[in-house]
Amino acid sequence: MTVHDVRSRHGDSKRGDASDGAILAEAVGGRLSRVDGPAKITGAAKYAVEQQFEGLSHAILVESTIAAGKVRSIDTAAAQASPGVLLVLTPDNALRLNTATDWLGTPPPDIPYCPLARDITFNGQHVAAVVAESFEQAVAAAALVKVAYDETPAIVDLDDPNAGDGIPVDTMTKEWGDAQAAFAAAPVRICAAYNTPREYQAPMEPHGLIAHWQGERLTVWEPSQWLDGMARTYAEWFGVPFENVRLVSPYIGGGFGSKAFAYGYGAVAAMAARMLGRPVKLAVTRPQTFTAYGGRAATRQTVALGADAEGRIQSIVHRGVNETSVDGMWVEPLGSVTSIMYATPNFSSRQNVVRVNTVVPGALRAPGENPSAFGIESAIDELAYEVGIDPLEIRLRNYAEQDPEAKKPWSTRQLREAFATGAEAFGWSKRAPEPRSMRDGDQLIGWGIAAGTYPVRRAYGEAMVRILADGSVEVESSSIDMGQGTYTILAQTAAEVVGVPAENVVVKLGDSRYARAGVTGGSRLAGVMTGAVHKAATAALDQLVGLAISDPNSPFHALQANTLVVANGRIASPRGDGPEVSIAELLDSVGRSQIEAMGDTMPANSTADDRYKNYTTIATALSHTEGDYSRHSWCAHFIEVRVDEDFGTVRVSRVVSALDSGRLYNPKLAESQWKGGIIMGIGQALLEEGIVDRRHGRIVNNNLADYLIATNADIPDIEVISVGIPDPHSSALGGKGVGELGIVGVAPAIANAVFHATGKRVRDLPITLEKLI
């Protein structure tokens, strides 16, 4: 097995449950275990920065220690004289690169780009780098670089008194009816502010890369959620053709949105490699991962609900703000769930961004939908208590039968079924309605509910499928697997179409030389790539059957059949009146070493430029409301918490979540993804918070000891239930998004459960002891 070839194995060869009955585990919809699992468990899986090369050198970043100001001078003499040092990079000797196109496809300004800063806009900004023969030598020399600054006042976060109200984001404005007037006239009114802090992806595998130039060709081994997009960035930075850049990313140890782009540290490593003429490895340290790229922006939102005495919403007025950087722009769409979850005749949502001295924020699992759900799902819970209605009932009473914003029918929406199924499994009917009315000794028990949603993000993909001489099948794609199961579901797709056991399918991913794929993010990869592989595999099968029927040397030539059956790697007449041979035997008889077919889901009239844009930007991505339907995944979380009455500690003791992700290509893997999102939601609700030193804008808890994420001890048994049905409007095989969905709504469900347990409403995450006093 090579570093990026994965052959499926029967980790779960028994028949598994699926929505359409018992099916073979290796078919689409079966519970095949992850085929990349054995390689990861045994250590055979070699990650990007684990590659070994002759002459490999090591780079270490030097970061700013102030949040705002200018670099006055950089003294590199001691570092340059240090043993093993090959190069000390500063803004003075760095190559001048081109500014690259952004991920939206916006043409870049014609100005040079330098990944090392003179003008400081956040603490932790790259100002220099040291390259040495060994990692240890580079670390020692980097500590000798002396940087002097002219420091100026910084705005460190949204709570800074100088932060202001921010800049309106007109594209985030959503309005219908007269929300302000309807709210003022409503018999029942709720208005509250809900806040989320900075949060960080904290993947198990830190970021890093190895860059190696061979003439005008650059190869980069780097964990990547978007090989073609990142290759395009490197190509534009260095002014070389796109085809001259190869990205290799065989395995990824978690990304959660943080590994979709080429960042400044990548430019530093590739620059050093070019200047030295030898491969350079740059491994971002754990503390540097908190500033080398951005996590989720801190958010503030006010949600005002106006309702009648029966709790039917008459108006929603929403105002949101998120932090962004001084020299970049990130919008966390805070009205995304607010505008579609519940029916209302009057709605108004507006959003600002506030520039603060931080790295540009970025995507963290369910960007926008996650904090948006915290606001609206907490507010509707408050409304339920205000009017004396069960929190489940009030959600059903305000159920949106169509998309309230787009005014289109849902493609599928199994949210009622999620509420009903989840409530039954959880035992919601046994809930005592009054806060502080359920206990177990010194433990106050609270039950909370919240709904969640995530849009179906669609795009186009391509795949290469080969049927080889030995009867095995090979699938190639530049898409990636960061733990969500791409190797496995693509093997299942090809196996089912071609008619071979899944163990005979080799899936090759994570190399930009392969058939192209867009970004892996927004829960789009499975729907896009199963469609592309299905199309390519169908074309390959058609070629195989065509050869069997038409080639004079084929054992089926005299049969005069117009079709054949291929199953379990063997070919036969559907009537059973002819020979039966293996695929390998057929290919041997007709003198073919392989059959090859490329399949893509691009429109038929697509140009080469259209294809390039599709795979290297998101400019051609399809809106989830394009056409006649509004497409979303849905979920309902039912959560029990236990709050120690004496100590105020909060523990999640039970989770039941019912989720609608359409058809599940592999239920075992989907359940794992849902649970992973729920676990992240528990961490978000109770633990995670980026803490800033207000003097210099430094992230204080920039490590996994102090930045608290959920561990096994924090997580109870989690029950997840699929209520989805195939959605033909969302993808070729009927699936909808899985990975992003699970986290949406978890934090408000916990906050709502804490209120039920204690009578204390916490509107600022995370929910900590001092907020319950």
Side-chain angles (χ1 to χ4, degrees):
M1 184 184 298
T2 69
V3 296
H4 55 280
D5 297 359
V6 175
R7 183 180 296 272
S8 63
R9 293 176 172 82
H10 287 283
D12 185 358
S13 60
K14 298 179 181 179
R15 291 180 176 267
D17 295 333
S19 58
D20 57 350
I23 60 174
L24 287 175
E26 58 259 36
V28 175
R31 302 180 68 89
L32 185 66
S33 294
R34 273 173 41 179
V35 300
D36 52 322
K40 291 179 176 177
I41 291 170
T42 61
K46 188 176 286 188
Y47 290 75
V49 297
E50 293 182 312
Q51 314 301 316
Q52 298 297 319
F53 300 95
E54 184 176 351
L56 183 66
S57 55
H58 299 264
I60 291 293
L61 295 166
V62 178
E63 298 180 303
S64 68
T65 57
I66 65 170
K70 292 183 179 295
V71 173
R72 185 190 319 130
S73 64
I74 303 178
D75 183 353
T76 63
Q80 289 174 325
S82 187
V85 170
L86 302 169
L87 177 66
V88 180
L89 272 173
T90 72
D92 294 324
N93 66 346
L95 299 179
R96 288 302 178 263
L97 308 181
N98 304 314
T99 300
T101 306
D102 68 16
W103 68 313
L104 301 171
T106 308
D110 186 18
I111 57 174
Y113 166 65
C114 182
L116 302 174
R118 283 193 179 92
D119 295 324
I120 304 303
T121 58
F122 63 93
N123 194 306
Q125 199 164 1
H126 308 326
V127 295
V130 175
V131 187
E133 294 284 358
S134 73
F135 173 77
E136 292 79 10
Q137 289 171 331
V139 170
L144 300 176
V145 176
K146 304 302 181 186
V147 184
Y149 303 96
D150 292 321
E151 189 171 5
T152 57
I155 299 173
V156 298
D157 57 25
L158 291 177
D159 294 326
D160 194 299
N162 296 316
D165 295 330
I167 307 163
V169 183
D170 293 339
T171 55
M172 292 292 102
T173 298
K174 305 176 181 184
E175 295 187 307
W176 60 85
D178 189 340
Q180 296 280 11
F183 175 75
V188 181
R189 293 189 294 272
I190 292 290
C191 183
Y194 305 93
N195 306 322
T196 65
R198 288 184 196 172
E199 301 161 15
Y200 297 93
Q201 290 91 349
M204 185 66 72
E205 174 199 30
H207 291 228
L209 72 154
I210 298 171
H212 183 33
W213 287 89
Q214 294 169 296
E216 288 297 296
R217 294 187 175 274
L218 170 65
T219 302
V220 178
W221 289 263
E222 182 172 7
S224 171
Q225 295 178 229
W226 192 6
L227 275 74
D228 294 302
M230 289 173 63
R232 186 260 306 154
T233 300
Y234 281 103
E236 291 182 359
W237 277 342
F238 289 93
V240 299
F242 172 72
E243 294 75 17
N244 283 19
V245 178
R246 178 188 177 196
L247 255 289
V248 186
S249 183
Y251 300 98
I252 304 170
F256 316 115
S258 71
K259 293 176 179 173
F261 307 111
Y263 296 109
Y265 62 81
V268 169
M271 179 190 299
R274 187 158 207 179
M275 294 172 72
L276 292 171
R278 58 190 289 184
V280 172
K281 176 178 179 177
L282 192 158
V284 178
T285 66
R286 180 62 68 181
Q288 289 171 346
T289 64
F290 287 74
T291 52
Y293 53 89
R296 196 191 309 279
T299 73
R300 306 285 185 266
Q301 51 184 319
T302 301
V303 182
L305 302 182
D308 62 21
E310 287 73 41
R312 293 183 178 85
I313 298 172
Q314 304 300 306
S315 173
I316 300 176
V317 180
H318 174 261
R319 298 292 180 263
V321 63
N322 71 263
E323 63 179 359
T324 190
S325 68
V326 169
D327 52 2
M329 177 61 72
W330 177 264
V331 178
E332 190 85 7
L334 296 174
S336 54
V337 175
T338 321
S339 61
I340 67 166
M341 186 61 79
Y342 300 108
T344 180
N346 302 284
F347 184 87
S348 173
S349 179
R350 299 178 187 175
Q351 185 169 338
N352 289 4
V353 293
V354 173
R355 295 195 180 278
V356 304
N357 290 97
T358 181
V359 64
V360 182
L364 202 169
R365 212 165 200 175
E369 283 75 20
N370 181 310
S372 180
F374 178 63
I376 186 62
E377 287 300 302
S378 295
I380 197 167
D381 206 71
E382 297 201 45
L383 179 62
Y385 283 96
E386 182 68 20
V387 296
I389 297 174
D390 182 272
L392 172 57
E393 172 58 28
I394 202 166
R395 288 169 167 82
L396 295 170
R397 197 167 291 187
N398 289 285
Y399 194 88
E401 300 295 347
Q402 67 168 5
D403 185 328
E405 179 185 358
K407 306 298 190 290
K408 293 180 179 181
W410 309 113
S411 56
T412 55
R413 193 193 204 211
Q414 297 290 101
L415 186 55
R416 285 190 191 277
E417 290 76 6
F419 283 137
T421 304
E424 176 65 25
F426 187 82
W428 184 262
S429 62
K430 300 181 178 67
R431 175 182 179 272
E434 292 299 319
R436 299 185 68 91
S437 60
M438 298 173 65
R439 66 167 57 239
D440 180 8
D442 294 332
Q443 304 288 315
L444 299 172
I445 296 175
W447 288 4
I449 181 178
T453 184
Y454 195 79
V456 176
R457 303 197 185 279
R458 299 173 300 147
Y460 306 111
E462 68 181 26
M464 174 69 75
V465 171
R466 298 185 184 93
I467 303 174
L468 304 180
D470 62 358
S472 66
V473 175
E474 189 174 81
V475 178
E476 283 185 356
S477 169
S478 69
S479 58
I480 59 90
D481 192 327
M482 56 182 171
Q484 78 275 43
T486 313
Y487 282 115
T488 309
I489 62 172
L490 297 191
Q492 289 176 277
T493 303
E496 181 180 86
V497 173
V498 178
V500 299
E503 63 184 359
N504 290 348
V505 179
V506 174
V507 179
K508 297 182 176 181
L509 303 175
D511 192 322
S512 62
R513 297 179 307 175
Y514 297 154
R516 293 184 182 179
V519 63
T520 298
S523 290
R524 80 188 70 200
L525 180 139
V528 171
M529 291 313 305
T530 52
V533 170
H534 191 278
K535 190 170 182 178
T538 299
L541 178 64
D542 288 344
Q543 287 186 49
L544 178 69
V545 173
L547 271 175
I549 292 172
S550 62
D551 193 291
N553 296 316
S554 166
F556 298 97
H557 182 63
L559 194 60
Q560 295 186 333
N562 59 9
T563 189
L564 297 171
V565 172
V566 185
N568 201 32
R570 300 187 67 80
I571 309 169
S573 165
R575 300 185 300 271
D577 56 354
E580 180 180 321
V581 300
S582 69
I583 292 175
E585 290 168 335
L586 174 68
L587 291 178
D588 182 63
S589 70
V590 300
R592 291 287 293 270
S593 62
Q594 68 177 35
I595 291 172
E596 180 177 279
M598 179 79 83
D600 71 67
T601 56
M602 292 286 293
N605 60 349
S606 298
T607 66
D609 186 56
D610 293 333
R611 293 173 182 273
Y612 179 76
K613 285 182 179 178
N614 176 69
Y615 299 120
T616 64
T617 74
I618 63 164
T620 60
L622 298 171
S623 166
H624 57 279
T625 57
E626 176 266 341
D628 296 331
Y629 297 95
S630 180
R631 304 162 181 85
H632 298 261
S633 299
W634 305 94
C635 62
H637 301 289
F638 296 81
I639 293 181
E640 176 185 275
V641 300
R642 289 174 175 258
V643 182
D644 189 290
E645 192 171 23
D646 296 322
F647 298 105
T649 53
V650 180
R651 297 191 66 83
V652 174
S653 51
R654 196 157 57 97
V655 178
V656 175
S657 298
L659 307 100
D660 166 21
S661 289
R663 181 191 184 193
L664 303 183
Y665 306 131
N666 184 313
K668 176 184 285 189
L669 304 187
E671 291 161 7
S672 177
Q673 284 291 290
W674 285 335
K675 290 178 181 179
I678 292 165
I679 291 167
M680 290 183 75
I682 293 172
Q684 177 189 27
L686 301 179
L687 301 168
E688 296 188 43
E689 179 180 17
I691 301 172
V692 181
D693 178 347
R694 307 193 63 80
R695 298 168 297 174
H696 301 295
R698 184 175 69 89
I699 305 300
V700 176
N701 56 337
N702 59 353
N703 56 79
L704 293 187
D706 298 317
Y707 183 77
L708 302 180
I709 58 175
T711 67
N712 285 348
D714 302 300
I715 304 303
D717 286 339
I718 298 172
E719 181 179 359
V720 291
I721 305 167
S722 174
V723 297
I725 58 175
D727 186 343
H729 309 294
S730 290
S731 66
L733 302 188
K736 301 193 290 187
V738 172
E740 311 269 3
L741 178 64
I743 193 174
V744 184
V746 174
I750 293 173
N752 295 339
V754 167
F755 176 78
H756 181 237
T758 66
K760 177 75 172 181
R761 181 68 66 175
V762 180
R763 303 183 180 93
D764 301 273
L765 295 181
I767 302 169
T768 54
L769 183 151
E770 61 271 16
K771 295 174 185 176
L772 291 174
I773 296 174

